[in-house]
Amino acid sequence: MARLLWQNPARVGFGVRRFRLGPARERLEGAERSFTAGFNAVVAGEAERIDDLREDLRGFAYEGAGMACATLDVLTLTGGRRLRELLSGPGMRYPHLIHLGTGRAYARMRLRPMWGVRSVHPLLRWLAHDGFGFHQGFFSADRTVGRQRTAGLMDRTRRAIFDQGLGRMLWFHECAGADDVVLRIAEFPAGRRADLWSGVGLAATYTGGAGVADLGRLASAAAEDGFRAHLAQGCAFACASRLISAVVPEHTVAAAPVLCGAEVDEAAGWTDTALVALGHNAHSGDHYQAWRAGVRKAWARRDRDL
C-alpha cells in the first residue's frame, strides 16, 4: 500500500502547477514538500521521521500525516482509529493542521469530508472542509481559481469553510505576493470574498513569505473591501495553531500586530474565548461559524477600544 499511495514531492513544485513565481517560492514550496514528507512517512510506517524536520516545518508535515491517516482509515475501514492515535500521540500539538489534512485526503479520494471523522474533535473536524478547498485549489487551479468553481453537494456553511481553504491556497498560488493576492480576490464575487480573506490571513501568518510593508498593504486592502475583521480572524487562528505547537516563528510574530493589531498570545486568546463561549456541546457547522464570528467580534472590540 505504501508504494501505491506514495506521493512524488515534485508534484507540488510551483513551476509544475503554473503558480506565480516570486521571492517566497522556496518557503512556500518547502511547506508543501514537508507536507508530502509527512504523508509518505506515515504510509511507510515511519512517522517518527517527521521529527527530523525543522521545527517550523513540522506542522505542515503533520498536516500530511493527517491526510495519510485519514486515507488509510477510509481504505481499511478502521473508523478513524489511525487519525485518533495521531491526534492523541505524536501529533497532539498540531490538531488544527491534522484536521486540515483530513480534508485533503477526502479531496484526493474524490469524497466529501466528514465520513469517518465524526469520532475526532467535534468542532475542529469542520476544518476538513478548509483542507478540501485548499486541495481543490492547489491541484485544480484552472477550475477552482480561474473559473471560480466550487465542489458540488455543499451547503452554505460547508462552502464558506471551503472558501477559507481556497483563500489559504491563494497565498501559495500568488507566491505570497500581497498585491497579486488582492487582485485575485477582487475577481471573486463579493459573497465569497470574506472567507477568502480569512484564509489569506491564516496562510500569511502561519506560513509567512511577505514582509511587514506587504502585510500592511494586505490589511489596508481588506479594510477597503470591507473584510478587515475576516483577515484578522484568519490571523488569530494561525496564532493559536502556532502557540499550541510551541513553535512561533519570527514571521508569525511580525504578522500578528499588522493583521490582528495584537501580539500572538492575545490574538490566540480570542480563539479560546470564542470557543468557550460556545459551551461544551459545540459540534455543528453553525457552531464552527459562530466560533469564527466570535473571534471577529473580539478583534472589533479591541479595535474600537484603541
Side-chain angles (χ1 to χ4, degrees), residues 95-147:
H96 299 79
L97 279 298
I98 290 172
H99 283 85
L100 291 172
T102 66
R104 297 180 68 162
Y106 285 101
R108 180 75 179 272
M109 293 184 288
R110 300 181 183 276
L111 299 172
R112 294 293 179 268
M114 290 309 174
W115 189 89
V117 298
R118 296 186 184 280
S119 57
V120 298
H121 192 288
L123 202 60
L124 289 184
R125 67 190 177 99
W126 288 92
L127 285 171
H129 292 284
D130 182 309
F132 186 86
F134 183 98
H135 186 280
Q136 295 297 87
F138 198 93
F139 292 104
S140 302
D142 288 346
R143 181 181 188 279
T144 312
V145 178
R147 298 197 296 276

Short mmCIF file of all heavy atoms in Angstrom, two decimals, residues 95-147:
data_model
loop_
_atom_site.label_atom_id
_atom_site.label_comp_id
_atom_site.label_asym_id
_atom_site.label_seq_id
_atom_site.Cartn_x
_atom_site.Cartn_y
_atom_site.Cartn_z
N PRO A 95 -3.27 19.85 16.25
CA PRO A 95 -4.64 19.39 15.94
C PRO A 95 -5.26 20.11 14.75
O PRO A 95 -5.94 19.48 13.94
CB PRO A 95 -5.41 19.67 17.23
CG PRO A 95 -4.63 20.78 17.91
CD PRO A 95 -3.20 20.48 17.59
N HIS A 96 -5.03 21.43 14.63
CA HIS A 96 -5.61 22.17 13.52
C HIS A 96 -5.07 21.64 12.18
O HIS A 96 -5.83 21.41 11.23
CB HIS A 96 -5.29 23.66 13.63
CG HIS A 96 -5.83 24.31 14.86
ND1 HIS A 96 -5.22 24.20 16.08
CD2 HIS A 96 -6.92 25.10 15.05
CE1 HIS A 96 -5.90 24.88 16.99
NE2 HIS A 96 -6.94 25.43 16.39
N LEU A 97 -3.75 21.46 12.11
CA LEU A 97 -3.14 21.04 10.86
C LEU A 97 -3.58 19.62 10.48
O LEU A 97 -3.84 19.33 9.30
CB LEU A 97 -1.61 21.09 10.97
CG LEU A 97 -0.92 22.44 10.80
CD1 LEU A 97 -1.16 22.99 9.40
CD2 LEU A 97 -1.34 23.45 11.85
N ILE A 98 -3.68 18.75 11.47
CA ILE A 98 -4.08 17.37 11.18
C ILE A 98 -5.50 17.32 10.64
O ILE A 98 -5.80 16.59 9.68
CB ILE A 98 -3.94 16.50 12.44
CG1 ILE A 98 -2.45 16.31 12.76
CG2 ILE A 98 -4.63 15.15 12.26
CD1 ILE A 98 -2.18 15.64 14.10
N HIS A 99 -6.39 18.12 11.21
CA HIS A 99 -7.77 18.16 10.70
C HIS A 99 -7.82 18.75 9.29
O HIS A 99 -8.64 18.33 8.46
CB HIS A 99 -8.67 18.94 11.65
CG HIS A 99 -9.06 18.16 12.88
ND1 HIS A 99 -8.26 18.11 14.00
CD2 HIS A 99 -10.15 17.39 13.14
CE1 HIS A 99 -8.85 17.35 14.91
NE2 HIS A 99 -9.99 16.91 14.42
N LEU A 100 -6.97 19.73 9.01
CA LEU A 100 -6.88 20.23 7.63
C LEU A 100 -6.45 19.12 6.68
O LEU A 100 -6.97 19.00 5.56
CB LEU A 100 -5.88 21.39 7.55
CG LEU A 100 -6.26 22.71 8.23
CD1 LEU A 100 -5.08 23.66 8.22
CD2 LEU A 100 -7.45 23.35 7.55
N GLY A 101 -5.52 18.30 7.13
CA GLY A 101 -5.04 17.21 6.30
C GLY A 101 -6.12 16.20 5.98
O GLY A 101 -6.11 15.60 4.89
N THR A 102 -7.06 15.99 6.89
CA THR A 102 -8.13 15.03 6.60
C THR A 102 -8.94 15.47 5.39
O THR A 102 -9.36 14.66 4.57
CB THR A 102 -9.06 14.83 7.80
OG1 THR A 102 -9.77 16.04 8.08
CG2 THR A 102 -8.27 14.41 9.04
N GLY A 103 -9.16 16.78 5.27
CA GLY A 103 -9.91 17.29 4.12
C GLY A 103 -9.19 17.04 2.81
O GLY A 103 -9.82 16.76 1.78
N ARG A 104 -7.86 17.15 2.84
CA ARG A 104 -7.08 16.88 1.64
C ARG A 104 -7.16 15.40 1.25
O ARG A 104 -7.12 15.05 0.07
CB ARG A 104 -5.64 17.34 1.83
CG ARG A 104 -5.53 18.85 2.05
CD ARG A 104 -4.12 19.35 2.24
NE ARG A 104 -3.31 19.23 1.03
CZ ARG A 104 -2.17 19.90 0.84
NH1 ARG A 104 -1.73 20.72 1.78
NH2 ARG A 104 -1.49 19.75 -0.26
N ALA A 105 -7.29 14.55 2.27
CA ALA A 105 -7.45 13.12 1.98
C ALA A 105 -8.76 12.87 1.24
O ALA A 105 -8.78 12.14 0.23
CB ALA A 105 -7.44 12.32 3.29
N TYR A 106 -9.83 13.44 1.71
CA TYR A 106 -11.13 13.24 1.06
C TYR A 106 -11.13 13.79 -0.36
O TYR A 106 -11.69 13.18 -1.28
CB TYR A 106 -12.24 13.86 1.90
CG TYR A 106 -12.56 13.04 3.12
CD1 TYR A 106 -12.08 13.40 4.38
CD2 TYR A 106 -13.30 11.87 3.03
CE1 TYR A 106 -12.33 12.63 5.49
CE2 TYR A 106 -13.57 11.10 4.14
CZ TYR A 106 -13.08 11.48 5.37
OH TYR A 106 -13.32 10.70 6.47
N ALA A 107 -10.50 14.95 -0.53
CA ALA A 107 -10.43 15.52 -1.88
C ALA A 107 -9.66 14.59 -2.81
O ALA A 107 -10.06 14.38 -3.97
CB ALA A 107 -9.76 16.89 -1.83
N ARG A 108 -8.56 14.03 -2.32
CA ARG A 108 -7.74 13.13 -3.14
C ARG A 108 -8.52 11.88 -3.54
O ARG A 108 -8.37 11.35 -4.65
CB ARG A 108 -6.48 12.75 -2.36
CG ARG A 108 -5.53 11.82 -3.11
CD ARG A 108 -4.77 12.57 -4.19
NE ARG A 108 -3.86 11.67 -4.89
CZ ARG A 108 -2.61 11.43 -4.50
NH1 ARG A 108 -2.12 12.03 -3.43
NH2 ARG A 108 -1.84 10.62 -5.20
N MET A 109 -9.39 11.42 -2.62
CA MET A 109 -10.18 10.21 -2.90
C MET A 109 -11.52 10.51 -3.57
O MET A 109 -12.34 9.62 -3.74
CB MET A 109 -10.41 9.44 -1.60
CG MET A 109 -9.14 8.85 -0.99
SD MET A 109 -9.44 7.85 0.49
CE MET A 109 -9.84 9.15 1.69
N ARG A 110 -11.71 11.79 -3.92
CA ARG A 110 -12.95 12.22 -4.58
C ARG A 110 -14.18 11.93 -3.72
O ARG A 110 -15.24 11.52 -4.22
CB ARG A 110 -13.09 11.57 -5.96
CG ARG A 110 -11.94 11.92 -6.90
CD ARG A 110 -12.13 11.29 -8.27
NE ARG A 110 -11.01 11.57 -9.15
CZ ARG A 110 -10.87 12.69 -9.87
NH1 ARG A 110 -11.81 13.62 -9.82
NH2 ARG A 110 -9.81 12.86 -10.64
N LEU A 111 -14.03 12.15 -2.41
CA LEU A 111 -15.13 12.02 -1.46
C LEU A 111 -15.36 13.37 -0.80
O LEU A 111 -14.53 14.26 -0.88
CB LEU A 111 -14.78 10.98 -0.39
CG LEU A 111 -14.52 9.55 -0.87
CD1 LEU A 111 -14.00 8.71 0.29
CD2 LEU A 111 -15.80 8.94 -1.45
N ARG A 112 -16.49 13.51 -0.14
CA ARG A 112 -16.75 14.72 0.63
C ARG A 112 -16.31 14.49 2.07
O ARG A 112 -16.46 13.38 2.60
CB ARG A 112 -18.25 15.07 0.60
CG ARG A 112 -18.74 15.47 -0.79
CD ARG A 112 -18.12 16.79 -1.23
NE ARG A 112 -18.56 17.17 -2.57
CZ ARG A 112 -17.91 16.85 -3.67
NH1 ARG A 112 -16.81 16.14 -3.62
NH2 ARG A 112 -18.35 17.25 -4.85
N PRO A 113 -15.78 15.51 2.74
CA PRO A 113 -15.34 15.34 4.13
C PRO A 113 -16.50 14.94 5.05
O PRO A 113 -17.66 15.14 4.73
CB PRO A 113 -14.82 16.74 4.50
CG PRO A 113 -14.44 17.35 3.21
CD PRO A 113 -15.45 16.83 2.21
N MET A 114 -16.13 14.39 6.19
CA MET A 114 -16.96 14.03 7.32
C MET A 114 -17.11 12.53 7.49
O MET A 114 -17.04 12.03 8.59
CB MET A 114 -18.37 14.67 7.29
CG MET A 114 -18.33 16.15 7.54
SD MET A 114 -17.38 16.53 9.05
CE MET A 114 -17.36 18.29 8.98
N TRP A 115 -17.29 11.76 6.41
CA TRP A 115 -17.42 10.33 6.60
C TRP A 115 -16.15 9.79 7.24
O TRP A 115 -15.05 9.97 6.74
CB TRP A 115 -17.64 9.63 5.25
CG TRP A 115 -17.99 8.19 5.40
CD1 TRP A 115 -19.23 7.65 5.54
CD2 TRP A 115 -17.06 7.10 5.44
NE1 TRP A 115 -19.13 6.28 5.67
CE2 TRP A 115 -17.82 5.92 5.61
CE3 TRP A 115 -15.68 7.00 5.36
CZ2 TRP A 115 -17.23 4.66 5.70
CZ3 TRP A 115 -15.09 5.75 5.45
CH2 TRP A 115 -15.87 4.59 5.61
N GLY A 116 -16.30 9.15 8.40
CA GLY A 116 -15.15 8.56 9.06
C GLY A 116 -14.38 9.48 9.98
O GLY A 116 -13.43 9.07 10.62
N VAL A 117 -14.81 10.78 10.10
CA VAL A 117 -14.08 11.67 11.01
C VAL A 117 -14.99 12.16 12.13
O VAL A 117 -14.65 13.07 12.86
CB VAL A 117 -13.48 12.89 10.26
CG1 VAL A 117 -12.47 12.44 9.25
CG2 VAL A 117 -14.55 13.75 9.62
N ARG A 118 -16.12 11.57 12.30
CA ARG A 118 -17.06 12.02 13.33
C ARG A 118 -16.56 11.72 14.74
O ARG A 118 -17.04 12.30 15.71
CB ARG A 118 -18.42 11.37 13.11
CG ARG A 118 -19.07 11.79 11.79
CD ARG A 118 -20.49 11.25 11.66
NE ARG A 118 -21.05 11.58 10.36
CZ ARG A 118 -21.57 12.77 10.06
NH1 ARG A 118 -21.59 13.72 10.96
NH2 ARG A 118 -22.06 13.01 8.86
N SER A 119 -15.62 10.82 14.86
CA SER A 119 -15.14 10.46 16.18
C SER A 119 -13.95 11.29 16.63
O SER A 119 -13.41 11.06 17.71
CB SER A 119 -14.76 8.97 16.20
OG SER A 119 -13.79 8.70 15.21
N VAL A 120 -13.51 12.25 15.81
CA VAL A 120 -12.41 13.12 16.23
C VAL A 120 -13.01 14.39 16.85
O VAL A 120 -14.17 14.42 17.23
CB VAL A 120 -11.46 13.44 15.05
CG1 VAL A 120 -10.83 12.15 14.55
CG2 VAL A 120 -12.19 14.13 13.91
N HIS A 121 -12.23 15.48 16.95
CA HIS A 121 -12.69 16.68 17.63
C HIS A 121 -14.00 17.18 17.00
O HIS A 121 -14.07 17.40 15.79
CB HIS A 121 -11.63 17.77 17.54
CG HIS A 121 -11.87 18.93 18.45
ND1 HIS A 121 -12.85 19.86 18.23
CD2 HIS A 121 -11.24 19.29 19.60
CE1 HIS A 121 -12.82 20.76 19.19
NE2 HIS A 121 -11.85 20.44 20.03
N PRO A 122 -15.05 17.37 17.80
CA PRO A 122 -16.37 17.70 17.25
C PRO A 122 -16.45 19.03 16.51
O PRO A 122 -17.31 19.20 15.65
CB PRO A 122 -17.28 17.71 18.49
CG PRO A 122 -16.36 17.97 19.63
CD PRO A 122 -15.07 17.28 19.27
N LEU A 123 -15.56 19.97 16.81
CA LEU A 123 -15.59 21.25 16.13
C LEU A 123 -14.46 21.39 15.12
O LEU A 123 -14.68 21.85 13.99
CB LEU A 123 -15.53 22.40 17.15
CG LEU A 123 -16.07 23.74 16.65
CD1 LEU A 123 -17.54 23.63 16.25
CD2 LEU A 123 -15.91 24.82 17.73
N LEU A 124 -13.25 20.99 15.50
CA LEU A 124 -12.12 21.09 14.58
C LEU A 124 -12.32 20.23 13.34
O LEU A 124 -11.70 20.49 12.30
CB LEU A 124 -10.82 20.71 15.28
CG LEU A 124 -10.26 21.67 16.32
CD1 LEU A 124 -8.92 21.18 16.83
CD2 LEU A 124 -10.12 23.08 15.77
N ARG A 125 -13.16 19.20 13.42
CA ARG A 125 -13.38 18.36 12.25
C ARG A 125 -13.92 19.15 11.07
O ARG A 125 -13.75 18.74 9.92
CB ARG A 125 -14.33 17.21 12.58
CG ARG A 125 -15.76 17.64 12.88
CD ARG A 125 -16.56 16.46 13.45
NE ARG A 125 -17.92 16.86 13.81
CZ ARG A 125 -18.98 16.65 13.04
NH1 ARG A 125 -18.83 16.05 11.88
NH2 ARG A 125 -20.18 17.04 13.44
N TRP A 126 -14.52 20.32 11.33
CA TRP A 126 -15.02 21.15 10.23
C TRP A 126 -13.89 21.75 9.41
O TRP A 126 -14.09 22.19 8.28
CB TRP A 126 -15.95 22.24 10.76
CG TRP A 126 -17.26 21.65 11.20
CD1 TRP A 126 -17.60 21.22 12.45
CD2 TRP A 126 -18.39 21.37 10.37
NE1 TRP A 126 -18.86 20.70 12.45
CE2 TRP A 126 -19.38 20.78 11.19
CE3 TRP A 126 -18.65 21.57 9.01
CZ2 TRP A 126 -20.61 20.38 10.69
CZ3 TRP A 126 -19.88 21.18 8.52
CH2 TRP A 126 -20.85 20.59 9.35
N LEU A 127 -12.68 21.75 9.99
CA LEU A 127 -11.53 22.22 9.22
C LEU A 127 -11.24 21.30 8.03
O LEU A 127 -10.50 21.68 7.12
CB LEU A 127 -10.29 22.29 10.12
CG LEU A 127 -10.24 23.46 11.11
CD1 LEU A 127 -9.08 23.28 12.08
CD2 LEU A 127 -10.12 24.78 10.37
N ALA A 128 -11.83 20.12 8.03
CA ALA A 128 -11.65 19.23 6.87
C ALA A 128 -12.15 19.90 5.60
O ALA A 128 -11.59 19.70 4.52
CB ALA A 128 -12.39 17.91 7.11
N HIS A 129 -13.20 20.70 5.70
CA HIS A 129 -13.71 21.39 4.52
C HIS A 129 -12.74 22.48 4.05
O HIS A 129 -12.67 22.78 2.86
CB HIS A 129 -15.09 21.99 4.81
CG HIS A 129 -16.14 20.95 5.02
ND1 HIS A 129 -16.71 20.25 3.97
CD2 HIS A 129 -16.70 20.46 6.13
CE1 HIS A 129 -17.60 19.39 4.45
NE2 HIS A 129 -17.60 19.49 5.76
N ASP A 130 -12.00 23.06 5.00
CA ASP A 130 -10.94 24.01 4.65
C ASP A 130 -9.85 23.28 3.87
O ASP A 130 -9.41 23.74 2.79
CB ASP A 130 -10.38 24.62 5.95
CG ASP A 130 -9.30 25.66 5.73
OD1 ASP A 130 -8.33 25.36 5.00
OD2 ASP A 130 -9.39 26.76 6.30
N GLY A 131 -9.40 22.15 4.40
CA GLY A 131 -8.39 21.37 3.69
C GLY A 131 -8.87 20.90 2.33
O GLY A 131 -8.10 20.85 1.37
N PHE A 132 -10.15 20.56 2.24
CA PHE A 132 -10.75 20.15 0.98
C PHE A 132 -10.64 21.29 -0.04
O PHE A 132 -10.24 21.07 -1.19
CB PHE A 132 -12.22 19.79 1.22
CG PHE A 132 -12.94 19.22 0.05
CD1 PHE A 132 -12.90 17.86 -0.22
CD2 PHE A 132 -13.69 20.03 -0.79
CE1 PHE A 132 -13.58 17.32 -1.31
CE2 PHE A 132 -14.37 19.51 -1.87
CZ PHE A 132 -14.32 18.15 -2.14
N GLY A 133 -10.97 22.51 0.39
CA GLY A 133 -10.88 23.66 -0.51
C GLY A 133 -9.46 23.96 -0.94
O GLY A 133 -9.21 24.29 -2.10
N PHE A 134 -8.51 23.82 -0.01
CA PHE A 134 -7.11 24.05 -0.35
C PHE A 134 -6.67 23.06 -1.42
O PHE A 134 -6.03 23.44 -2.42
CB PHE A 134 -6.24 23.91 0.90
CG PHE A 134 -4.78 24.20 0.67
CD1 PHE A 134 -4.26 25.45 0.98
CD2 PHE A 134 -3.92 23.25 0.13
CE1 PHE A 134 -2.92 25.73 0.76
CE2 PHE A 134 -2.59 23.51 -0.10
CZ PHE A 134 -2.08 24.76 0.22
N HIS A 135 -6.98 21.80 -1.21
CA HIS A 135 -6.55 20.76 -2.15
C HIS A 135 -7.15 20.99 -3.53
O HIS A 135 -6.45 20.90 -4.55
CB HIS A 135 -6.96 19.39 -1.63
CG HIS A 135 -6.44 18.25 -2.46
ND1 HIS A 135 -7.04 17.86 -3.64
CD2 HIS A 135 -5.38 17.41 -2.29
CE1 HIS A 135 -6.38 16.85 -4.15
NE2 HIS A 135 -5.37 16.55 -3.36
N GLN A 136 -8.43 21.30 -3.59
CA GLN A 136 -9.08 21.52 -4.89
C GLN A 136 -8.46 22.70 -5.62
O GLN A 136 -8.27 22.68 -6.83
CB GLN A 136 -10.58 21.75 -4.69
CG GLN A 136 -11.34 20.55 -4.15
CD GLN A 136 -11.30 19.36 -5.08
OE1 GLN A 136 -10.36 18.56 -5.04
NE2 GLN A 136 -12.29 19.23 -5.93
N GLY A 137 -8.13 23.75 -4.87
CA GLY A 137 -7.49 24.90 -5.48
C GLY A 137 -6.08 24.60 -5.94
O GLY A 137 -5.65 25.02 -7.01
N PHE A 138 -5.33 23.85 -5.12
CA PHE A 138 -3.93 23.59 -5.42
C PHE A 138 -3.78 22.70 -6.66
O PHE A 138 -2.93 22.97 -7.52
CB PHE A 138 -3.27 22.91 -4.21
CG PHE A 138 -1.77 22.98 -4.22
CD1 PHE A 138 -1.11 24.01 -3.57
CD2 PHE A 138 -1.01 22.02 -4.87
CE1 PHE A 138 0.28 24.08 -3.56
CE2 PHE A 138 0.37 22.07 -4.88
CZ PHE A 138 1.02 23.11 -4.22
N PHE A 139 -4.60 21.68 -6.76
CA PHE A 139 -4.43 20.72 -7.84
C PHE A 139 -5.42 20.91 -8.99
O PHE A 139 -5.29 20.24 -10.03
CB PHE A 139 -4.53 19.29 -7.30
CG PHE A 139 -3.37 18.92 -6.41
CD1 PHE A 139 -3.52 18.87 -5.04
CD2 PHE A 139 -2.12 18.65 -6.96
CE1 PHE A 139 -2.44 18.56 -4.22
CE2 PHE A 139 -1.04 18.34 -6.15
CZ PHE A 139 -1.20 18.29 -4.77
N SER A 140 -6.37 21.80 -8.84
CA SER A 140 -7.31 22.12 -9.93
C SER A 140 -7.50 23.62 -10.01
O SER A 140 -8.62 24.14 -9.97
CB SER A 140 -8.66 21.42 -9.69
OG SER A 140 -8.52 20.02 -9.60
N ALA A 141 -6.38 24.34 -10.11
CA ALA A 141 -6.42 25.80 -10.04
C ALA A 141 -7.20 26.41 -11.21
O ALA A 141 -7.89 27.41 -11.04
CB ALA A 141 -5.01 26.37 -9.99
N ASP A 142 -7.08 25.83 -12.39
CA ASP A 142 -7.80 26.39 -13.54
C ASP A 142 -9.30 26.41 -13.27
O ASP A 142 -9.99 27.37 -13.59
CB ASP A 142 -7.50 25.59 -14.81
CG ASP A 142 -6.10 25.81 -15.33
OD1 ASP A 142 -5.45 26.79 -14.88
OD2 ASP A 142 -5.63 25.03 -16.17
N ARG A 143 -9.79 25.33 -12.70
CA ARG A 143 -11.22 25.22 -12.43
C ARG A 143 -11.64 26.03 -11.21
O ARG A 143 -12.63 26.76 -11.24
CB ARG A 143 -11.60 23.75 -12.20
CG ARG A 143 -13.08 23.51 -11.93
CD ARG A 143 -13.35 22.03 -11.68
NE ARG A 143 -14.77 21.76 -11.61
CZ ARG A 143 -15.52 21.96 -10.53
NH1 ARG A 143 -14.96 22.41 -9.43
NH2 ARG A 143 -16.82 21.68 -10.57
N THR A 144 -10.86 25.93 -10.13
CA THR A 144 -11.26 26.49 -8.84
C THR A 144 -10.92 27.97 -8.70
O THR A 144 -11.68 28.72 -8.10
CB THR A 144 -10.61 25.69 -7.69
OG1 THR A 144 -10.79 24.30 -7.94
CG2 THR A 144 -11.25 26.04 -6.37
N VAL A 145 -9.79 28.37 -9.26
CA VAL A 145 -9.39 29.78 -9.21
C VAL A 145 -9.77 30.49 -10.49
O VAL A 145 -10.43 31.53 -10.46
CB VAL A 145 -7.87 29.91 -8.95
CG1 VAL A 145 -7.46 31.38 -8.93
CG2 VAL A 145 -7.50 29.24 -7.64
N GLY A 146 -9.38 29.93 -11.62
CA GLY A 146 -9.66 30.58 -12.90
C GLY A 146 -11.14 30.70 -13.20
O GLY A 146 -11.64 31.79 -13.51
N ARG A 147 -11.86 29.58 -13.08
CA ARG A 147 -13.30 29.59 -13.36
C ARG A 147 -14.14 29.76 -12.11
O ARG A 147 -15.38 29.80 -12.19
CB ARG A 147 -13.69 28.31 -14.11
CG ARG A 147 -13.01 28.18 -15.47
CD ARG A 147 -13.69 27.17 -16.36
NE ARG A 147 -13.63 25.81 -15.83
CZ ARG A 147 -12.60 24.99 -16.00
NH1 ARG A 147 -11.53 25.39 -16.68
NH2 ARG A 147 -12.61 23.76 -15.51
#
